[in-house]
Amino acid sequence: MILNILGIDLGSTQTCAIIAQKDDEGLKIIGFSKAKTNGVKKGAITNIELASKSIEEAVRNAEMMSGVHYDKVVVSISGAYTKSVDSIGVVNIPNHEIGIKEIHRAVSTAKHTANIPSGYEIIHVLPYNFKVNDLEHVDDPLGMSGSRLEVSTHIVISQESHIKNLKKAVELADLRVDNIVLSGYASSIACLDDSEKELGSVLIDMGGAICDMVVHTGNSIRYNDCLQIGSINITQDLSMALHTPLKEAEKIKLNYAALSQQPNALIQIPTMGDEKRVNEVSLDIISEVIYARAEETLMILAKILSDNRYANSIGGGVVLTGGMTKLAGIDELAPATFDNRSIRIATARRDLITSFNEIFNDPENTCAIGLCLYGAGYFTPYELDSNEKLRYKGEIENYNRQIRQEIIPQKEIENEIKSDFFDENLQENDTIAIQEQLDFKETREKKSGLFSSVWHKIINQF
């Protein structure tokens, strides 16, 4: 079975759309496009129509590149307007055999007992620990024997109005949302390897206007937070410090990696309000502005992490991704800021999905790739998704196997009916004709029985 998954990362500065195809050979990216985002500020939709047009443009170009239509649409939601709560669910197992239904019941119990604030909806219910009877730290309880199942969950929630605005913007682009995924969670799916998940790692997606942070330990994320500062703040700082238009400041920021190779260079930039007039600015001033904001951002993120209760359980270090990580020198600045923890600048893992190098090498695409991976089944072993449906690894394969098992007996029944009533060569696979023949036979038998009973009554009278 071929499944085409459309991942839409609606960022504050740009919208990324990726179409990935899952088949028997694996997962590969077949469509990719970016569009400038309008109508979104700090991760929140401020103009539904403009945001919808950004989505429509990115998806249309990705479709043209892939040449296929998508089967599933997975959209990211910013961590700026999400919260999280933890909850525990406990259920009894009458038959002492733990299956998918029992796990679903336990996770659903945790959802119902959670303290969800009014006006919020659930995005994810993520189990991070199972307990069977007295056996703790069970990774996967499926198939185990026990009379009691307990699950600890991390629940990600968002404002109901924010979710409705996101869905409406997508629907205006003639799309239907199948799943909504926390952007930081999607990035962690794409970036973190098994060792980093097992040892515990912090993933920070440094985007245009916000930085999403998630702490991943074991099977699931345990903590998520957001800092509403991003690379656009560097652009604004440059514009004010150099008194130049925002578009020119953005060009300077993007070209800084090349400019840093010429430390004594003087750069001519247009003046704000009169672009015909130019000023000469030394690279030292530009470097000071860029590094001051970058250092401030990293220091705030480090403070958020140090205040977190999981700060001492992240042996896998800090993983940075997102467009802001392309800034020259940030890999040298980060280790000192995060108390000399292990720092890795990451892009999407190549062992999970195949694509062109230019898509993989750009950390801006990490979240969108993670959305496609989520749609293909790469997620927490068990979870309730944004539709409150239980998701589990292997569900796609099990679903296909179930379909095949149901189709084969149905065909055998149809063939038996065909051989009884009409020539199989003339009426092959015609289920309507089968039903007509059944109805005809039933009617004929009824008429025959009625005529026979009347005839016998007439004979008995004589």
Side-chain angles (χ1 to χ4, degrees), residues 83-87 110-125 153-160 388:
K83 293 182 178 181
S84 62
V85 295
D86 289 342
S87 181
K111 180 199 73 174
H112 289 299
T113 58
N115 185 18
I116 308 297
S118 177
Y120 278 77
E121 287 188 7
I122 291 175
I123 301 296
H124 302 285
V125 180
T153 62
H154 178 76
I155 302 177
V156 181
I157 58 178
S158 180
Q159 294 180 13
E160 183 180 351
E388 299 189 9

Side-chain angles (χ1 to χ4, degrees), residues 259 261-267 281-284 286:
L259 294 173
Q261 306 300 322
Q262 306 171 11
N264 299 322
L266 291 175
I267 303 169
V281 180
S282 67
L283 188 62
D284 291 338
I286 296 173

Side-chain angles (χ1 to χ4, degrees), residues 435-448:
Q435 188 60 45
E436 290 178 351
Q437 292 286 344
L438 287 171
D439 294 343
F440 174 75
K441 181 180 179 182
E442 184 179 356
T443 304
R444 187 177 59 185
E445 288 176 351
K446 288 181 179 179
K447 289 183 177 180
S448 175

Side-chain angles (χ1 to χ4, degrees), residues 19-172:
I19 298 178
Q21 187 174 82
K22 180 179 176 61
D23 53 22
D24 295 336
E25 298 179 358
L27 191 65
K28 59 184 176 182
I29 295 175
I30 58 175
F32 169 78
S33 180
K34 289 181 181 179
K36 185 179 183 301
T37 299
N38 295 309
V40 179
K41 291 182 180 179
K42 298 291 184 180
I45 295 175
T46 57
N47 188 312
I48 290 179
E49 185 176 355
L50 292 179
S52 177
K53 288 181 179 178
S54 301
I55 295 171
E56 187 176 7
E57 180 183 351
V59 172
R60 181 176 63 249
N61 293 335
E63 254 193 314
M64 290 178 63
M65 179 179 177
S66 67
V68 301
H69 193 68
Y70 36 83
D71 303 310
K72 180 185 290 188
V73 179
V74 185
V75 184
S76 68
I77 185 169
S78 167
Y81 294 91
T82 61
K83 293 182 178 181
S84 62
V85 295
D86 289 342
S87 181
I88 295 176
V90 181
V91 295
N92 292 320
I93 313 296
N95 59 357
H96 301 281
E97 182 76 18
I98 300 175
I100 292 294
K101 291 182 179 179
E102 287 70 29
I103 296 173
H104 188 189
R105 193 155 50 90
V107 178
S108 297
T109 302
K111 180 199 73 174
H112 289 299
T113 58
N115 185 18
I116 308 297
S118 177
Y120 278 77
E121 287 188 7
I122 291 175
I123 301 296
H124 302 285
V125 180
L126 305 169
Y128 58 81
N129 184 42
F130 288 96
K131 181 179 177 181
V132 178
N133 290 356
D134 295 328
L135 181 62
E136 297 184 356
H137 308 297
V138 175
D139 292 332
D140 189 351
L142 184 65
M144 297 182 68
S145 296
S147 59
R148 182 177 182 272
L149 176 63
E150 180 179 323
V151 59
S152 301
T153 62
H154 178 76
I155 302 177
V156 181
I157 58 178
S158 180
Q159 294 180 13
E160 183 180 351
S161 59
H162 185 60
I163 295 174
K164 287 183 177 179
N165 290 337
L166 177 61
K167 287 183 176 180
K168 190 171 183 180
V170 176
E171 289 168 358
L172 283 176

Side-chain angles (χ1 to χ4, degrees), residues 336-357:
T337 310
F338 284 95
D339 299 327
N340 293 317
R341 295 181 187 269
S342 172
I343 303 292
R344 182 169 74 93
I345 308 296
T347 56
R349 292 170 55 184
R350 295 173 182 265
D351 59 326
L352 300 179
I353 188 170
T354 58
S355 179
F356 308 108
N357 288 332

Side-chain angles (χ1 to χ4, degrees), residues 392-441:
Y392 57 94
K393 288 194 173 182
E395 63 180 9
I396 296 178
E397 288 77 7
N398 291 339
Y399 176 77
N400 292 341
R401 191 179 301 116
Q402 180 182 358
I403 293 295
R404 288 195 293 269
Q405 290 173 351
E406 290 176 354
I407 288 176
I408 293 173
Q410 182 66 27
K411 287 186 176 180
E412 292 175 354
I413 293 171
E414 289 180 2
N415 289 337
E416 290 178 2
I417 297 175
K418 290 174 188 175
S419 62
D420 289 340
F421 295 111
F422 51 92
D423 187 359
E424 189 173 273
N425 295 325
L426 296 177
Q427 300 283 356
E428 187 176 2
N429 293 330
D430 191 348
T431 56
I432 296 177
I434 295 173
Q435 188 60 45
E436 290 178 351
Q437 292 286 344
L438 287 171
D439 294 343
F440 174 75
K441 181 180 179 182

